[in-house]
Every structure is written in structure tokens, then in C-alpha cells.
Amino acid sequence: MPVSEKATETQTAYYRVRQAILAEELLPGQRLVEKELAERFGLGRAAIRTALARLEQEGLVKSEPFRGATVRAIDEAEAVEILEARAALESLAARYAARKATPEQVERLEDILRQMEARYEAGDLLGMSELNSELHQRLLEIAGHRTAARLIESLRAQNVRHQFRTILVPGRSRRSLEEHRRIVQAVAAHDEEKAAQAMLEHLSQVAEALRQSAALTTPQPPSPILEEA
């Protein structure tokens, strides 16, 4: 097989396995057997092996002696840490976006905001969350900071399984809209400091909402004081 074809197959293997993990077709803790994956995706085992090694570097796959590769599980504590790291990087990206944004790019950001508002009013919180991701991606594209974009993409991939959890927190969706509006307004005004601060505050609030969602979905022991009352 020519080198270019090998490279193409390896890239395809990486993309297919990665997407299966992010879509939860391959679940946290699930074993990743090279032979089974090769048959599933119609690819060579060598390409799958290379893809798994790359995904391990990204934090999506975990390899253990005598057990092999598995989909790495990420708990709430680590998910919060990832959001904190993203906050620093995306704050930098927002600063660059405020510096570089053209009127056409600002108009596109405002259009996404309007769509988010419509989804919220319709009660389509999943659709709103997807537009949220699109807005963040657009800001990264405007920023043009390749190093930040590369690191953020890796962090997002690790955190994608937790991204919808914050919807469970009462009032969070409305606050998220307001936070995104402040980010876009700062970018439109080319106010680098406000854009960076607005993004930092937004992702800090997302991290706090994730902590709250964990508390909402984790059974708590009964309080002795409440029982006495």
C-alpha cells in the first residue's frame, strides 16, 4: 500500500474511533479490541492501533497492562478541571477575536445568538447547546490562534460527555444566554479586556453548574437535622 494510502487509512481510523467515543457508541470503560474495531470500520489493525495510541495521547483512551485499551472514563472532578483549563485558553481566544473580528463575523455571531434565543424559547435546550458549541467554534476561528485552538479541541473532546449535564441546573440556560451575549457584545466592540473577562466568567459559571449538576444527580444521605424536623 502506498504511503499516502496508509496515512489516509490511519487518519480515517482515528476519526471513526474518535467520533464513536464522542457519540457514546463506545462507552466509558468499554474495551477497545483492535480486531473488533478493524472489522467494525473495515480498516486494518495497524491503522486502528495507531489511532488508539493517538487517542490515548488526547485522553480519550486508556491502556493498561494485561487489559489493553479502554474508553477512558472522566469523572465530574476532572471535567471541572478541564473546564478551568479551557477557561484560560478560551479567554485568550476571545481576546484575539475582539482584536480581529470583522463586521461580517460579528453579524454571524449575533445570528447564532438569535438562534440560541429561539431554541431557548421553544424549549429546545439540546439544540441551544449545539448552537452554543458553534458559537465557541466561530470565536476560535475568528481568533486565529492555532495553538489555543488545538489545545481547546483536545480539552473539549475529553469533556464532551459532560457538556449537556449543566442543562439540568435550574435557570442555567437563561444565564448562559446572557453570558454569551456579553461575550459577543465585547467582541463586537473590539474590547479585548471585556471579551477575555466575559469568556472567563462564562466558563467559570459552566464549571460551577457542572458541580451543581453532579450534586443533583448523586444520591445524598438524609440529613439528621431534616429528619428531626
Side-chain angles (χ1 to χ4, degrees), residues 28-170:
Q30 183 173 339
R31 289 190 65 215
L32 300 170
V33 181
E34 289 177 13
K35 182 176 182 294
E36 293 176 358
L37 292 173
E39 292 174 352
R40 174 174 178 166
F41 297 121
L43 298 165
R45 291 182 62 173
I48 295 293
R49 188 179 307 118
T50 302
L52 293 179
R54 183 174 172 185
L55 291 166
E56 183 174 10
Q57 292 177 343
E58 291 188 7
L60 291 176
V61 168
K62 178 180 180 181
S63 292
E64 296 178 296
F66 310 111
R67 192 179 179 204
T70 58
V71 178
R72 193 167 79 87
I74 296 173
D75 61 20
E76 283 79 6
E78 186 176 358
V80 168
E81 289 180 359
I82 290 169
L83 279 167
E84 290 171 342
R86 272 186 58 192
L89 289 165
E90 293 205 41
S91 176
L92 173 65
R95 183 184 297 278
Y96 271 69
R99 183 182 306 170
K100 297 180 177 182
T102 65
E104 292 77 17
Q105 289 169 329
V106 170
E107 184 178 350
R108 178 55 184 149
L109 293 175
E110 292 173 342
D111 180 58
I112 295 172
L113 267 180
R114 286 191 290 269
Q115 292 181 57
M116 289 174 67
E117 180 77 37
R119 295 290 177 90
Y120 173 79
E121 296 297 339
D124 181 6
L125 299 185
L126 181 60
M128 177 183 160
S129 182
E130 291 170 350
L131 286 166
N132 175 354
S133 297
E134 182 181 348
L135 182 62
H136 281 259
Q137 185 59 40
R138 291 282 181 175
L139 286 166
L140 277 179
E141 292 170 3
I142 295 168
H145 196 299
R146 290 176 296 177
T147 299
R150 184 176 68 252
L151 294 171
I152 290 166
E153 173 59 25
S154 176
L155 291 170
R156 281 183 179 171
Q158 294 179 51
N159 222 15
V160 72
R161 292 191 294 270
H162 294 267
Q163 69 182 354
F164 300 126
R165 293 279 300 277
T166 58
I167 293 174
L168 299 173
V169 178

